[in-house]
Amino acid sequence: MLSNQADGDKRRSLHGHWSSRMAFILAVTGSAVGLGNIWKFPYIAGQNGGGAFVLVYLVCVVLIGMPVMMSEILIGRRGRRNPVATMKLLGQEEGSSERWKWVGGMGVLAGILILSYYSVIAGWTLAYIVKSVTGAFAGASAGVVGDEFDSFVSDWRLVALTHTIFMGLAVFVVARGVERGLEQAVRFMVPALLVLMLVLLGYAISSGYFGQGVAFMFTPDFSKLTWGSVLAALGQAFFTLSIGMGAVMAYGAYLPEETSITGASAAVVTADTSIAILAGLAIFPLVFANGLTPGDGPGLVFNTLPLAFGQMAGGVFFSTVFFVLLSFAAWTSAIGLMEPAVAWIVEHFHKTRAQATVGVGLLIWLLGFGSVLSFNVLADTKFLAGTIFDNVDYLTSNIMLPLGGLLIVIFAGWVMCRNSTADELGNSGGLFKAWRILARYVAPIGILLVLINAVR
Ligand code: PHE
């Protein structure tokens, strides 16, 4: 195999390349592992009745998430540009149409919309670092922990402040660029987060309610499953894997030629899914041990884990470390959410990376006020899916990401010729065939079925 430099015919990305295969896996894992695993997965699973939802989610991850992720990476690496330009270029190269650029465009928009609320929740985790350090949870009861959460989110100024700080942090890293910024932020976070989740798991096992938590998560009651909850599971699979919006495509553009896309995708999917399942296993026993309800919504993790920390030896320390890590996880995900928009602006409008990042960051910060106010001043202003936060979340996770994913697998499976995809994935027999069957038939039909049945 030629080295990357000698490989003169191959494109290079304007933004530089990952320094190694491991750096890429870390970056995509950093983007995938975030609030989606620890904050969102447990509360969505709780709202949708547990077991059956979790099963559908796992099926979606394997049969749809995995082929979509591979498709995104291979498209990104082949185009070596931002998602808009890459889709346009490959659309032309493959003899189709440059209109495929709109798939990239929808991704840019989805990233901006998602980060507008993601940053608000990430702000909560920043606030919880402070609460942890000051020992607010030491020995606290479920009532005290719940009040602490309610009084925090009902103060819109505090929520706005922490949202602002988080956006500042995100802009700072993205502005520094691919190698200096993105890579360094993810190196230690994922392993450290895994260790902390295991500590929490240990506590959950000792709580006496572990069996009940496990039963809730893994005993499927299909009578509770509606098309709405199947769509929620599909949307969660997309959200948690960072797919369907070009984040992984943008990262793929910086991927060296010789890295195995299948191997990298499998590693990311495994890490991401394990952390989500661990989070559920740590949280649901606490829900039952303290007489809370699993379907309580976005406050779930903030109302449960502090209880465990409050009763543990060394709880102040563990709690602080946990919320620091969760903030880091959110931070590395925020980078992925901004990257498509920033890369597009840099390439399309010839701005510097710093200018593009500040501009996108300001827009997202402003939009974020819709979600800041959804938990206090505008909590009772409800339409369609609920508050502004609920609507942005529903529109992005349940509509835009699955739709983006659908178009991406159709592009990779049907529009790109077999040779182009084989060239990127390596035409090594079984794995390539399996990817092609999933990308051409299973994933598109699956996504379409769920979207049509849930939305009509
Ligand atoms: N996957 C991230 C999480 O689980 C969220 C995300 C979505 C990040 C899309 C980037 C792109 O928290």
Side-chain angles (χ1 to χ4, degrees), residues 124-139:
W124 298 359
T125 65
L126 291 179
Y128 268 63
I129 299 176
V130 179
K131 289 187 194 293
S132 300
V133 176
T134 55
F137 306 123

Side-chain angles (χ1 to χ4, degrees), residues 103-125:
V103 176
M106 185 169 74
V108 167
L109 185 65
I112 290 174
L113 288 174
I114 293 175
L115 189 51
S116 82
Y117 76 79
Y118 200 86
S119 165
V120 174
I121 312 296
W124 298 359
T125 65

Side-chain angles (χ1 to χ4, degrees), residues 31-37 114 118 239-243 245 247 333 336-337:
S31 150
V33 174
L35 297 174
N37 309 61
I114 293 175
Y118 200 86
F239 183 88
T240 190
L241 295 175
S242 305
I243 53 179
M245 54 142 294
S333 297
L337 287 162

